[in-house]
Amino acid sequence: MAPDYPIRTERLSLRPFDLDDRAALYSWQAREDVARYLYSAPRSVEESAASLAAKIAVGWPVPEGEMLSLAVERDGVVVGEAVLKHLSEQHRQGEVGYILHPDHHGFGYATEAARAVLRLGFEDLGLHRIAAVCHAGNDASWRVMEKLGMRREAHFRHAVMFKGEWVETVVYALLEDEWRAQR
């Protein structure tokens, strides 16, 4: 059964992206400061439109290997996205992620949105373990992971070739029973 959208938190609403979100999505996907820690470069209007189409195409339940991207709204304005990737059905594994427009950094929105996505993963999709991975230099991202109660499981040196150089990554995770204990 699909989640009852929009998913409401204290200050935010999360819902599937739709075609009306094209300008909002492009507003952060085109920015160099947002792409800094992403595998993609800043996107063109056309690339952002293709990204939006891919987000719209993924429904519920999230198929194994796919990523559910939800628009994050604050007072009716799309300020970012929160994602849940279904890594393995057999092993009940997932991954959480988040991107916010820089104008909305520093207010705790990433933590609030990611907490709602963790709930979706554990309670609605039945996952056992949800991880999060980021560039080790992205302090803001791994601090969100820690605020979510996730534990740092690994710090990999020279883990990936990223934009022409070797970078370090950190991996955080939370288990279903740990999630329930936090509630």
Side-chain angles (χ1 to χ4, degrees), residues 63-129:
E64 182 176 26
E66 295 289 333
M67 183 168 57
L68 175 69
S69 295
L70 298 175
V72 176
E73 290 184 339
R74 168 79 172 144
D75 297 327
V77 175
V78 177
V79 299
E81 65 184 289
V83 302
L84 176 63
K85 185 170 185 181
H86 190 179
L87 298 174
S88 170
E89 191 168 329
Q90 177 184 359
H91 302 293
R92 297 175 45 216
Q93 305 285 308
E95 185 175 331
V96 66
Y98 34 84
I99 301 171
L100 290 179
H101 189 289
D103 291 351
H104 302 280
H105 287 179
F107 298 101
Y109 299 152
T111 304
E112 193 171 326
R115 187 168 282 118
V117 172
L118 286 171
R119 187 194 60 72
L120 267 181
F122 288 125
E123 295 181 11
D124 295 331
L125 197 56
L127 297 177
H128 173 70
R129 179 180 179 274

